[in-house]
Amino acid sequence: MDGWIKLHRKILDNPIVCKDSDHIAVWTYLLLNATHKEYPTVFKGIKIILQPGQLITGRKVIAEKFNISESKVQRILKSFEIEQQIEQQNGNKNRLVSILSWIDYQDSEQQNEHLVNNKRTTTEQQVNTNKNVKNDKNVEKVKKKDIIPKIKFAEFVSMTQEEYDKLLEAHGQDKLNRIIETLDNYKGSTGKKYTSDYRAILNWVVTRVEEDERKLTLVRGGGNGGKYQAGYAGVSEASRKAASRGAETFIGSPGRESGLTTEEVQRIASNFD
């Protein structure tokens, strides 16, 4: 992997990252392997676009790289997540990791380095062909990137109009409304904050909504006093068993009464109408 990253001095003031040498090693690994630009890939069988500061990795790969036990790698990643250094979403064989502070310490420097490299290449070529040309004629003026204001699309969800339009084009209005409502409810109930709500949506909210749409089917139960049952349509038997153990339950265990009144289920299910 080519390129470079910025290792800021502030890392020395971070007690989570600097807890011991293994923590520093894992943190550096994440920084070095995160993508610096949008990159298409597949995660959990779904095509996604990795955003700057994201990577797909696994604890086994990291453990082998630094000769650390897999259990310790798992503890380190969990501590990073708890302290809001990263977000991670687990797959069957790997995990999607998002470095939350990436944009604060990496993006602008990556862009500046790219500009510097372009200037250096242009200057060197012109010096080789004509040494009498003044260097100041080879320097391009770089405009500062305008700060784009974010719009509040829900109580706890904000993004730029361009980001919203991209999501609208990709998912349509009805699905986008559910995506925004899902993130808004999550942030409102947990107090979670994101550097970019748009990245959070790409990272996990879209997947969550699509999984709920695919797996959740409400069927009016016969003779159960006006209550509903929750069933998972088109899901393997293994997934059904996992759900019954509470791994993927939403309203109630599949095939059992949810215990909710008709009005309560209708309110919860309204996001999927």
Side-chain angles (χ1 to χ4, degrees):
M1 181 178 293
D2 297 329
W4 60 276
I5 62 166
K6 175 182 177 181
L7 191 61
H8 203 282
R9 290 190 178 94
K10 285 185 178 180
I11 195 173
L12 298 175
D13 300 325
N14 190 327
I16 307 303
V17 174
C18 293
K19 184 175 182 179
D20 60 29
S21 59
D22 291 340
H23 281 69
I24 295 177
V26 173
W27 180 250
T28 304
Y29 174 90
L30 298 179
L31 292 177
L32 289 171
N33 286 275
T35 183
H36 68 280
K37 61 182 179 180
E38 291 187 353
Y39 182 80
T41 187
V42 176
F43 179 65
K44 296 173 65 174
I46 301 174
K47 292 183 179 180
I48 66 171
I49 303 295
L50 286 180
Q51 299 299 308
Q54 291 185 321
L55 68 149
I56 294 178
T57 186
R59 64 183 182 182
K60 183 176 182 180
V61 175
I62 300 176
E64 292 177 350
K65 184 71 174 180
F66 298 106
N67 195 25
I68 308 172
S69 67
E70 289 187 34
S71 60
K72 183 166 187 181
V73 172
Q74 175 67 16
R75 292 195 302 272
I76 292 173
L77 292 174
K78 189 62 178 179
S79 68
F80 288 167
E81 182 179 26
I82 292 174
E83 296 299 328
Q84 297 186 348
Q85 306 295 310
I86 65 171
E87 291 173 356
Q88 55 180 343
Q89 183 179 352
N90 293 327
N92 295 330
K93 297 181 180 180
N94 48 27
R95 67 187 66 197
L96 174 63
V97 178
S98 301
I99 302 173
L100 298 181
S101 59
W102 179 270
I103 194 172
D104 297 328
Y105 297 109
Q106 302 296 334
D107 274 6
S108 60
E109 292 294 330
Q110 295 277 359
Q111 295 168 1
N112 290 341
E113 176 67 11
H114 180 68
L115 291 173
V116 170
N117 287 339
N118 286 344
K119 293 176 187 176
R120 184 187 301 120
T121 301
T122 301
T123 301
E124 290 172 351
Q125 290 175 345
Q126 291 183 354
V127 167
N128 290 334
T129 57
N130 188 352
K131 294 183 180 181
N132 295 323
V133 177
K134 294 183 179 179
N135 288 334
D136 55 4
K137 292 184 180 180
N138 302 321
V139 178
E140 298 178 358
K141 294 182 180 180
V142 180
K143 296 181 179 180
K144 293 184 178 180
K145 187 177 181 180
D146 295 333
I147 299 176
I148 303 176
K150 292 185 177 181
I151 302 172
K152 200 171 184 180
F153 290 95
E155 184 177 1
F156 300 103
V157 179
S158 300
M159 66 187 90
T160 67
Q161 185 64 52
E162 181 181 1
E163 292 170 340
Y164 179 88
D165 291 341
K166 287 181 180 179
L167 294 173
L168 181 61
E169 181 179 359
H171 303 289
Q173 188 66 65
D174 291 342
K175 185 176 179 181
L176 179 54
N177 290 342
R178 293 195 294 273
I179 289 171
I180 292 175
E181 184 174 359
T182 297
L183 180 58
D184 187 59
N185 289 339
Y186 175 75
K187 292 179 68 177
S189 62
T190 63
K192 182 77 172 181
K193 295 182 179 179
Y194 293 99
T195 303
S196 170
D197 289 340
Y198 176 70
R199 288 188 181 179
I201 288 173
L202 296 178
N203 182 28
W204 69 269
V205 182
V206 171
T207 302
R208 173 73 59 80
V209 170
E210 290 176 346
E211 288 177 350
D212 288 342
E213 288 176 339
R214 184 171 63 251
K215 295 179 180 179
L216 184 63
T217 302
L218 296 178
V219 182
R220 183 182 296 276
N224 61 357
K227 295 181 179 179
Y228 280 70
Q229 292 178 333
Y232 289 83
V235 183
S236 67
E237 184 64 22
S239 295
R240 293 173 184 268
K241 291 180 179 179
S244 66
R245 292 195 300 268
E248 296 182 42
T249 54
F250 184 80
I251 296 176
S253 299
R256 300 181 183 178
E257 290 188 4
S258 66
L260 299 178
T261 65
T262 300
E263 292 75 13
E264 290 171 327
V265 174
Q266 287 174 335
R267 175 174 52 80
I268 295 173
S270 63
N271 290 338
F272 303 94
D273 292 339

